[in-house]
Amino acid sequence: MTTTQTAPTPAAAIVDTPAAPSCDPTCAPAGADCCAPLTREPLGAAEAEVLAKKLKAIADPTRLRLLSLISATAGTEACVCDLQELVDLSQPTVSHHLKVLTDAGFLTRTKRGTWAYFALVPGALTEISEVLAP
């Protein structure tokens, strides 16, 4: 039996090339930039602070549910009195969650008499999805 050996590749022949992007080419038409903005360019410190605040606000199951309930409301706004029954939490707890969502820029608050009404800020959820979407 005869064995053949191949000569090792000289170090000068190995070329350092940058890694190819890990984007899935099937996620967008040919030639389109399909990477999420977080992978296209680094976030600045101020942008990271704003995004982190928004992500922390929606990182709670109750707050996600409240956002969903408000966005699904026929009149486009919901009273805290109605929301508290739907999530089976006390009014102060629901108000706290709604304040966090309002402070993060997801909701607007209108006071009518004793009750507060909340509406989804147009484009607030789209803004988050555009940053994270592939």
Side-chain angles (χ1 to χ4, degrees):
M1 182 188 287
T2 312
T3 59
T4 54
Q5 293 181 335
T6 57
T9 306
I14 299 173
V15 179
D16 244 354
T17 56
S22 60
C23 294
D24 179 2
T26 63
C27 72
D33 189 3
C34 69
C35 296
L38 289 176
T39 59
R40 278 186 256 174
E41 58 189 41
L43 288 174
E47 292 170 312
E49 284 290 326
V50 171
L51 182 59
K53 182 179 180 182
K54 289 178 182 264
L55 291 174
K56 284 179 186 178
I58 61 173
D60 179 271
T62 299
R63 290 194 280 267
L64 278 175
R65 187 148 183 246
L66 287 167
L67 272 178
S68 173
L69 290 167
I70 292 168
S71 65
T73 303
T76 67
E77 64 179 5
C79 176
V80 69
C81 57
D82 297 328
L83 293 169
Q84 98 185 45
E85 294 172 14
L86 295 172
V87 293
D88 196 31
L89 293 170
S90 69
Q91 184 272 325
T93 301
V94 173
S95 290
H96 166 73
H97 286 300
L98 293 170
K99 181 179 181 341
V100 171
L101 291 168
T102 302
D103 291 347
F106 290 107
L107 300 175
T108 59
R109 179 181 183 268
T110 307
K111 185 128 168 131
R112 293 190 206 132
T114 0
W115 295 110
Y117 290 79
F118 293 85
L120 193 62
V121 171
L125 296 177
T126 305
E127 182 183 332
I128 291 290
S129 67
E130 286 174 352
V131 172
L132 300 176

